[in-house]
Amino acid sequence: HYEALGFKLAFIGTEDMDGEQVHKLEITAPNGMVTNEFYSVNSGLKLKTSSAATGDIMYSDYQEVDGVKFPMMLTIKNPMLPVALETKMKSVSFNQQLSDADFQ
């Protein structure tokens, strides 16, 4: 749906990222902001998102949850951060029943 929303997509090519071959895609938002996304040639999984505005986000430790592979580790590197920020997912749940008490 990117193009329907006004985004422009371009396949830049294949390159090496930390010893793994990746496909590099360039996504240009309607406001002109450019984001690059990197997908593993072997698995097809997204390994990295990079932009001047947000820095680099690396995705790793993919685990299957309800038949969907989900990155359980995100590492964010940004010039505004003195050290990389690591986020580790403990669990992921889809379509859970919620009650009014869950929002209190």
Side-chain angles (χ1 to χ4, degrees):
H1 300 287
Y2 277 113
E3 291 173 342
L5 296 171
F7 290 82
K8 294 179 184 170
L9 303 173
F11 175 67
I12 302 303
T14 303
E15 61 185 61
D16 182 81
M17 186 174 77
D18 299 327
E20 183 169 358
Q21 288 294 301
V22 296
H23 295 297
K24 181 179 180 180
L25 302 176
E26 181 179 87
I27 303 166
T28 305
N31 66 2
M33 187 175 94
V34 175
T35 300
N36 291 299
E37 293 190 346
F38 301 84
Y39 294 85
S40 169
V41 169
N42 292 329
S43 68
L45 298 172
K46 185 192 295 189
L47 300 179
K48 180 179 173 182
T49 301
S50 181
S51 76
T54 61
D56 296 336
I57 303 170
M58 279 72 70
Y59 309 90
S60 61
D61 190 23
Y62 277 87
Q63 296 178 19
E64 193 167 313
V65 179
D66 293 339
V68 177
K69 289 195 175 186
F70 197 83
M72 301 302 280
M73 174 69 84
L74 292 121
T75 304
I76 302 168
K77 292 183 180 179
N78 183 301
M80 303 279 291
L81 299 171
V83 295
L85 176 66
E86 291 186 344
T87 302
K88 176 80 173 160
M89 307 289 179
K90 289 186 176 185
S91 68
V92 176
S93 300
F94 299 107
N95 300 319
Q96 296 295 304
Q97 294 293 325
L98 301 175
S99 69
D100 290 339
D102 292 326
F103 297 97
Q104 294 180 359

